[in-house]
Amino acid sequence: NLETDAQLDENLRTFGSSLDKQLAMFKEHILGQQAVIDKLKKQQEVSHADMLEYYRKNPYNFAIPAKARFELLSVYFSRMEGRTEAERKIAADRRIRKMGDSVFFGRPFPEVAKEFSHEANALQGGQYDWISKGSLASDVIDAAAFSQELNKLGGILEDERGFHIVRVLERSEAKQTPF
């Protein structure tokens, strides 16, 4: 029920403001909104040529690494009985050969892995799901996973920890996401 600017100013002062302060805040608010609208309207347009140039200059952003799924049987030297390292190695060799023969002659790979294998995924049947090339601690197992024939029981491999047998289930080669 105010009729003049003076009355409005007097009323605003009871709330700790003034007509001049309110006008200044309103102008700042409008200017801020306008700045945001102007900024949003000025979206840079990216041309097809620009995208193609970025694609060619940054191939690593579009690379899809080689991947493999495989099964693994392992016997670790450190977990075998024997007084000497040579005795433990002989025992490990016997055990890995027995495991490989069991699978070769028809016993399910997961069953053999669960019962005899020392490796980390033994309780999951020795199965490894989609690993990238170079991601394994053992270079020997990594190389086998990316070179061995699919669905064939590989030969006995040796690394610093023990003996291993790999069977590669699936593999996809490295490739590039097409532009």
Side-chain angles (χ1 to χ4, degrees), residues 94-147:
R94 272 192 235 121
R95 184 171 180 151
I96 197 73
R97 288 180 189 283
K98 183 177 177 184
M99 292 164 64
D101 287 347
S102 294
V103 173
F104 184 78
F105 290 112
R107 190 163 178 205
F109 197 107
E111 191 177 293
V112 174
K114 287 176 184 175
E115 189 172 341
F116 299 109
S117 186
H118 292 157
E119 59 90 26
N121 285 10
L123 293 178
Q124 289 79 36
Q127 294 187 357
Y128 281 77
D129 196 28
W130 295 116
I131 57 114
S132 296
K133 191 171 188 173
S135 66
L136 295 176
S138 172
D139 293 337
V140 173
I141 297 170
D142 194 83
F146 289 95
S147 63

